[in-house]
Amino acid sequence: MKTQVAIIGAGPAGSLLSLILHQRGIESIVIERQSKSYVLDRIRAGVLEWTSVELLESVGLGERLHKEGHRHDRVKIGWRGSEILDIEFQRLAGKPMMAYGQTKIQEDLYAAAERENLNIIFESSDVEIHDVTTDNPYVTFTTNGETQRVDCDYIAGCDGQHGVSRGAIPFKRRSEFERAYPFGWLGILSETPPLPELVYANHKNGFALCSERNPMLSRYYVQCPLEDTVDQWSDDRFWTELIERLPPSIGEHVVTGPSIEKSIAPLRSQVIEPMQYGKMFLAGDAAHIVPPTGAKGLNLAIADVHYLTEALVEHYAGNSAKLDSYSETALRRVWSSVRFSWWMTVLLHRFPEETAFEQRMREEDLAYLTRSESARKSVAEQYVGLDY
Ligand code: RFL
Ligand code: PHB
């Protein structure tokens, strides 16, 4: 096979990249390891920055997003038992956020891929990247028991944190920056009405988060030890812990019910530099991971795709300046989100080895945010995200 851009991974980054390139007259083939239904069943992100919403609108994915998404103008942060900090990001930073699950975005992307006849090859194994530093790079993989080869101008590595693309950059040519956090998030979905607002909490038992997927589907998380397994967390134990960690005036409104999904995710920050090697470009989780506390991961993946499509479109029109500086441009935004996600994580979790001193420092940060509108404005600006 032959195409202009071979894309590895059909998660949000890879499938959005293929769609926008197609709309701008550039051909691609997407190679995905999993089946379509497997990708659609993964429960992940829930909250979009407004720049992400506008980008999805601009490629024709705005209709269901606006119908089923729920706009949020603020988040609340519970701390020291009953205190509540209100970050009104719409008022302070001029933009709202949108609660719209990654599962729905992925459904919208696959529906658009079908409508526009995009070439996504699911269940492709043994993906290998070849000759990226030459003018004739190619990708090989196995599908239906046969080895296939795609020759291309460029390769986009959109294969997430466990993909193969980042490994195509020789060890000596890449830098990795990493922080693993000593805890995970236990997340559940339940068919109960969510709270009207997003609520984060710092409590002596650890972090908690209340979010939503739709008016009858709630998404909640609590911090848990990394060694925990879901069998140790009955629904009863989960609801008791969640409600205990919230300020009582908020916890009393939580509607409990049976969980329909329960999983534990570790928390990590990681950045790979540069995001380009020869004819290969990395985008999304393939290049960077953030802990979900700042709600940035999917938004960064969408931003990378924006920068990369603009760069490829200009390149094929005769100007390569943006393609040459793709890594630098994307990394500026990446580091700003990595810093914010790290800061939110440290502010809102309890670390196993810490002392009462660290907790006092954290509470002082929260007290300062409560007193100072300029401090809240700074958090609001970072939460809603930079313009492209
Ligand atoms: P993905 O979604 O991991 O997709 C990568 C795709 O590549 C495929 N793949 C391969 N294909 C071929 N060959 C190989 N060798 C391959 N290896 C992998 C995979 O099967 C997959 O289909 O990466 P992408 O597209 O970069 O998208 C990134 C987002 O999924 C991720 O950043 C977010 O989910 C992070 N995240 C959140 N982001 C937000 O912006 N807002 C949020 O509120 C938010 N909440 C979250 C989150 C992530 C979470 N978890 C579970 C990590 C909440 C949680 C709990
Ligand atoms: C979610 O709804 O899954 C969600 C919301 C906010 C976050 C992380 C995850 O910071």
Side-chain angles (χ1 to χ4, degrees):
M1 288 177 268
K2 193 159 174 34
T3 192
Q4 288 170 292
V5 184
I7 300 174
I8 306 178
S15 36
L16 180 62
L17 179 62
S18 177
L19 176 67
I20 308 181
L21 288 178
H22 172 78
Q23 293 177 345
R24 309 282 289 268
I26 300 171
E27 276 176 39
S28 67
I29 293 178
V30 190
I31 303 152
E32 165 62 48
R33 180 164 58 190
Q34 305 290 354
S35 66
K36 190 176 189 174
S37 57
Y38 182 95
V39 178
L40 287 171
D41 281 346
R42 284 194 298 229
I43 312 286
R44 288 189 170 171
V47 180
L48 289 174
E49 294 177 358
W50 211 253
T51 44
S52 303
V53 170
E54 286 170 347
L55 185 132
L56 293 169
E57 272 168 11
S58 75
V59 298
L61 300 182
E63 202 181 309
R64 181 172 174 218
L65 174 60
H66 283 287
K67 199 152 43 167
E68 297 181 22
H70 180 187
R71 194 187 136 129
H72 287 276
D73 291 344
R74 49 161 41 90
V75 290
K76 292 196 167 158
I77 299 180
W79 62 288
R80 210 195 277 147
S82 57
E83 308 265 356
I84 299 169
L85 169 65
D86 186 2
I87 312 257
E88 303 164 278
F89 39 74
Q90 170 67 60
R91 186 175 73 78
L92 296 171
K95 283 190 232 168
M97 299 287 278
M98 182 74 104
Y100 189 69
Q102 182 165 330
T103 324
K104 290 188 180 180
I105 296 175
Q106 196 68 69
E107 283 167 7
D108 297 346
L109 282 165
Y110 285 167
E114 245 168 59
R115 262 196 322 272
E116 307 206 16
N117 239 333
L118 305 185
N119 193 352
I120 305 182
I121 306 171
F122 289 98
E123 299 181 65
S124 304
S125 54
D126 312 319
V127 174
E128 283 184 47
I129 293 170
H130 307 268
D131 295 354
V132 272
T133 54
T134 73
D135 286 336
N136 303 298
Y138 64 99
V139 178
T140 55
F141 59 97
T142 308
T143 182
N144 291 327
E146 272 178 48
T147 302
Q148 302 282 347
R149 168 172 168 152
V150 179
D151 289 282
C152 54
D153 302 336
Y154 293 100
I155 295 169
C158 302
D159 48 354
Q161 61 171 316
H162 304 297
V164 291
S165 305
R166 58 166 72 164
I169 309 181
F171 198 60
K172 279 199 194 136
R173 302 291 295 274
R174 68 176 196 254
S175 304
E176 290 194 19
F177 302 84
E178 185 165 9
R179 169 91 191 250
Y181 301 90
F183 40 72
W185 277 18
L186 168 67
I188 73 151
L189 274 177
S190 82
E191 288 169 324
T192 48
L195 296 177
E197 275 148 5
L198 294 169
V199 180
Y200 293 81
N202 173 256
H203 181 268
K204 67 176 168 30
N205 296 3
F207 171 87
L209 168 59
C210 309
S211 183
E212 59 152 314
R213 288 295 178 270
N214 67 48
M216 260 318 279
L217 193 57
S218 303
R219 178 75 166 153
Y220 294 103
Y221 301 94
V222 295
Q223 173 186 348
C224 69
L226 272 177
E227 315 74 65
D228 276 15
T229 59
V230 288
D231 323 328
Q232 291 168 269
W233 284 87
S234 65
D235 287 358
D236 274 354
R237 177 173 176 211
F238 181 87
W239 292 118
T240 307
E241 259 308 316
L242 175 76
I243 292 166
E244 181 165 356
R245 293 180 192 194
L246 299 171
S249 63
I250 292 179
E252 70 187 17
H253 297 294
V254 170
V255 180
T256 64
S259 68
I260 57 164
E261 200 266 348
K262 201 182 271 168
S263 54
I264 294 180
L267 267 65
R268 199 151 70 104
S269 301
Q270 189 187 40
V271 182
I272 314 292
E273 284 188 350
M275 287 169 62
Q276 173 187 9
Y277 180 62
K279 298 288 172 86
M280 183 190 73
F281 298 89
L282 299 178
D285 281 15
H288 38 72
I289 308 295
V290 288
T293 330
K296 293 291 179 205
L298 175 60
N299 292 296
L300 275 183
I302 293 174
D304 290 349
V305 168
H306 166 75
Y307 296 131
L308 188 55
T309 45
E310 290 301 309
L312 285 165
V313 168
E314 285 201 12
H315 165 75
Y316 281 112
N319 178 356
S320 296
K322 281 192 182 163
L323 200 56
D324 294 340
S325 57
Y326 163 72
S327 175
E328 203 183 313
T329 309
L331 280 166
R332 271 200 293 275
R333 189 184 188 92
V334 167
W335 278 111
S336 126
S337 294
V338 167
R339 196 213 74 85
F340 180 65
S341 304
W342 160 82
W343 178 81
M344 284 280 281
T345 302
V346 174
L347 181 73
L348 298 177
H349 292 74
R350 294 289 173 114
F351 286 64
E353 304 301 325
E354 73 184 26
T355 64
F357 179 83
E358 275 83 20
Q359 181 57 17
R360 278 300 176 96
M361 293 299 97
R362 193 172 282 138
E363 287 176 5
E364 204 38 50
D365 268 345
L366 288 159
Y368 176 55
L369 284 164
T370 305
R371 282 196 305 274
S372 162
E373 178 156 313
S374 356
R376 287 199 298 282
K377 187 166 178 187
S378 160
V379 174
E381 278 172 7
Q382 297 177 79
Y383 194 81
V384 301
L386 305 165
D387 286 332
Y388 297 142

